[in-house]
């Protein structure tokens, strides 16, 4: 299978500019002080262009009875493995397993600090020696836009077994140290029947704890599980997302449609959940059970058919994910929120703070968002 994707149109430069390095979350929040749990992050809330500041534990009071959270159940893989090309050390990031048994991979160079830096891909036929006398051979670039990601074939071992024995979670240079795989799993993660998973954590769901989920359920907020196995990102090149494997089960499709029909709000937890549920939506806005590959790129021009709101991390100004946020909330709302996040010294990346985008409130609606319970 050849994966290729279109390129969203170039957007104007963002007024809020570059994110300072000191706003990168270097360790998980529970490691920043005694007594902290995953839900001890901050929550920026956008309702249209109105912005407010909260703690994540306030989420149950910011949603309504009848709202539905769409969550990604994909488990995170230990997708980084050390190897050698000739005498040169490399780190292989295993991204996505194709239907033909090949894997999309990214080769990176160790930077001497426990993390990696970008490396030119290829050439075709290059062999990477991996632990346990396993061989990986690069065959062809993933798409026509560049040679960062390559299709590769592995011999000498089954890849998922190799990752379990020799892999570690992918780590980028803004983090302080390696973390155990458990730190990269969300409370919603479930093992898949074929062992597949995500190369990187669906991190918008990381702040959820079992306690917080129970409180949300007790207040009438529902959950609809979907699955999207996300591939590797890149700290150097923010490319549009390429095709990924996803599944929207029948029960979740029915639940989403029922909530929409009843006037509730469908809030996706993470851009991966948006991509999955929007890939299962017809032109009529109805969601149907579906699984396979999605090459959908959600942009303001395409818009969203199902999702009313989005809970997500904070993204770099070049990230294609911001186009998805604009599809949900509009450019003005996103820019206003990011300006507030920078002024408020919110933390970025997978261990950072989170952002909840909700529709602007109807002034005639009889709803409240605080002190309601």
């Amino acid at each position: 299978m050849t994966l290729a994707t279109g390129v969203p149109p170039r957007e104007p430069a963002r007024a809020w500019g570059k994110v300072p390095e000191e706003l990168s979350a270097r360790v998980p929040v529970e490691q920043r002080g005694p007594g902290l749990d995953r839900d001890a992050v901050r929550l920026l809330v956008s309702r249209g262009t109105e912005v407010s500041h909260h703690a994540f534990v306030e989420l149950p009071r910011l949603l309504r009875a009848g709202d539905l959270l769409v969550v990604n159940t994909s488990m995170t893989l230990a997708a980084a493995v050390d190897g050698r090309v000739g005498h040169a050390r490399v780190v292989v990031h295993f991204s996505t397993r194709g239907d033909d048994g090949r894997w999309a991979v990214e080769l990176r160079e160790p930077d001497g600090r426990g993390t990696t830096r970008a490396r030119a891909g290829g050439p075709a036929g290059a062999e990477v020696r991996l632990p346990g006398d396993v061989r990986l051979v690069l065959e062809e670039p993933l798409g026509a836009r560049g040679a960062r990601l390559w299709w590769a074939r592995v011999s000498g071992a089954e890849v998922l077994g190799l990752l379990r024995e020799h892999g570690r979670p992918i780590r980028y240079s803004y983090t302080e140290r390696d973390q155990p795989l458990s730190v990269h799993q969300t409370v919603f993660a479930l093992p898949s029947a074929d062992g597949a998973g995500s190369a990187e954590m669906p991190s918008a769901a990381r702040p959820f704890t079992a306690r917080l989920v129970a409180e949300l359920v007790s207040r009438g907020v529902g959950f609809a599980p979907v699955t999207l196995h996300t591939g590797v990102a890149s700290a150097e090149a923010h490319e549009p997302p390429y095709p990924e494997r996803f599944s929207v089960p029948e029960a979740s499709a029915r639940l989403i449609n029922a909530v929409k029909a009843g006037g509730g709000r469908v809030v996706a937890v993470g851009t991966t959940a948006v991509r999955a549920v929007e890939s299962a939506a017809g032109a009529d806005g109805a969601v149907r059970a579906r699984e396979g590959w999605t090459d959908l790129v959600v942009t303001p021009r395409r818009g969203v058919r199902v999702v009313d709101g989005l809970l997500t991390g904070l993204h770099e100004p070049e990230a294609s994910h911001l186009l998805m946020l604009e599809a949900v909330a509009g450019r003005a709302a996103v820019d206003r929120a990011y300006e507030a996040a920078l002024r408020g010294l919110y933390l970025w990346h997978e261990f950072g703070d989170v952002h909840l985008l909700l529709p602007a409130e109807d002034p005639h609606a009889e709803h409240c968002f605080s002190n309601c319970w």
Side-chain angles (χ1 to χ4, degrees):
M1 178 179 180
T2 299
L3 303 187
T5 188
V7 181
R10 184 177 295 277
E11 293 290 305
R14 301 187 184 276
W16 44 274
K18 188 172 177 58
V19 179
E21 287 186 15
E22 59 268 25
L23 295 186
S24 294
R26 303 192 182 281
V27 296
V29 63
E30 63 271 23
Q31 297 177 15
R32 295 178 205 154
L36 297 179
D37 205 343
R38 289 182 175 213
D39 56 13
V41 296
R42 300 169 68 192
L43 176 64
L44 183 73
V45 178
S46 298
R47 300 185 190 93
T49 55
E50 297 298 318
V51 178
S52 56
H53 304 273
H54 303 268
F56 187 76
V57 291
E58 296 178 62
L59 181 64
R61 297 190 295 278
L62 296 166
L63 298 177
R64 305 172 185 158
D67 285 344
L68 183 69
L69 293 173
V70 180
V71 296
N72 187 0
T73 63
S74 180
M75 292 194 73
T76 308
L77 302 174
V81 179
D82 293 324
R84 287 186 177 273
V85 177
H87 295 293
R89 295 173 57 218
V90 297
V91 177
V92 181
H93 288 175
F94 284 85
S95 180
T96 304
R97 181 172 60 185
D99 292 334
D100 59 1
R102 297 187 299 175
W103 279 77
V105 301
E106 178 187 23
L107 268 60
R108 296 177 68 88
E109 294 178 349
D111 62 3
R113 301 190 301 269
T115 52
T116 60
R117 53 177 170 256
R119 175 190 183 278
E127 182 180 273
V128 183
R129 302 193 309 278
L130 299 173
D133 201 28
V134 176
R135 296 289 189 271
L136 178 149
V137 177
L138 302 179
E139 293 191 350
E140 59 178 332
L142 190 66
R145 294 192 60 232
R148 182 177 71 90
L149 292 167
W150 281 68
W151 283 118
R153 200 170 294 276
V154 174
S155 60
E158 193 270 330
V159 170
L160 293 174
L162 174 74
L163 300 185
R164 286 191 295 270
E165 186 171 355
H166 299 287
R168 61 185 180 277
I170 289 174
R171 176 187 162 204
Y172 289 114
S173 58
Y174 50 77
T175 57
E176 187 174 289
R177 56 181 175 271
D178 284 339
Q179 298 287 345
L181 185 58
S182 60
V183 167
H184 295 262
Q185 304 295 4
T186 75
V187 71
F188 304 111
L190 295 171
S192 59
D194 61 358
S198 289
E200 298 182 9
M201 173 177 52
S203 56
R206 191 182 189 279
F208 284 87
T209 61
R211 179 184 63 250
L212 190 67
V213 170
E215 183 179 354
L216 285 161
V217 171
S218 74
R219 291 176 178 268
V221 177
F223 290 83
V226 300
T227 302
L228 186 138
H229 298 312
T230 183
V232 298
S234 171
E236 291 79 23
H238 291 287
E239 300 148 331
Y242 51 85
E244 294 164 318
R245 194 185 301 276
F246 83 105
S247 172
V248 175
E250 178 69 30
S252 293
R254 289 177 180 269
L255 186 55
I256 293 166
N257 292 333
V259 167
K260 297 289 287 187
R265 299 177 298 184
V266 174
V267 179
V269 178
T271 57
T272 61
V274 176
R275 196 180 200 198
V277 74
E278 291 290 330
S279 296
D284 59 356
V287 177
R288 297 168 178 85
R290 188 178 170 196
E291 63 179 19
W293 293 91
T294 177
D295 60 0
L296 177 65
V297 180
V298 178
T299 65
R301 179 179 297 177
R302 188 270 186 188
V304 289
R305 297 170 178 170
V306 180
V307 171
D308 302 301
L310 172 61
L311 180 71
T312 182
L314 294 165
H315 304 284
E316 294 284 355
E318 301 89 355
S320 61
H321 294 307
L322 289 173
L323 295 176
M324 183 183 289
L325 272 63
E326 291 174 17
V328 174
R331 175 75 181 244
V334 173
D335 284 348
R336 180 74 62 85
Y338 273 67
E339 290 166 1
L342 287 169
R343 287 196 305 269
L345 303 180
Y346 280 69
L347 296 181
W348 258 249
H349 303 304
E350 67 266 30
F351 298 139
D353 298 315
V354 283
H355 180 199
L356 176 63
L357 299 99
L358 293 172
E361 273 300 281
D362 178 352
H364 303 293
E366 296 182 358
H367 296 293
C368 61
F369 286 93
S370 62
N371 301 318
C372 302
W373 299 94

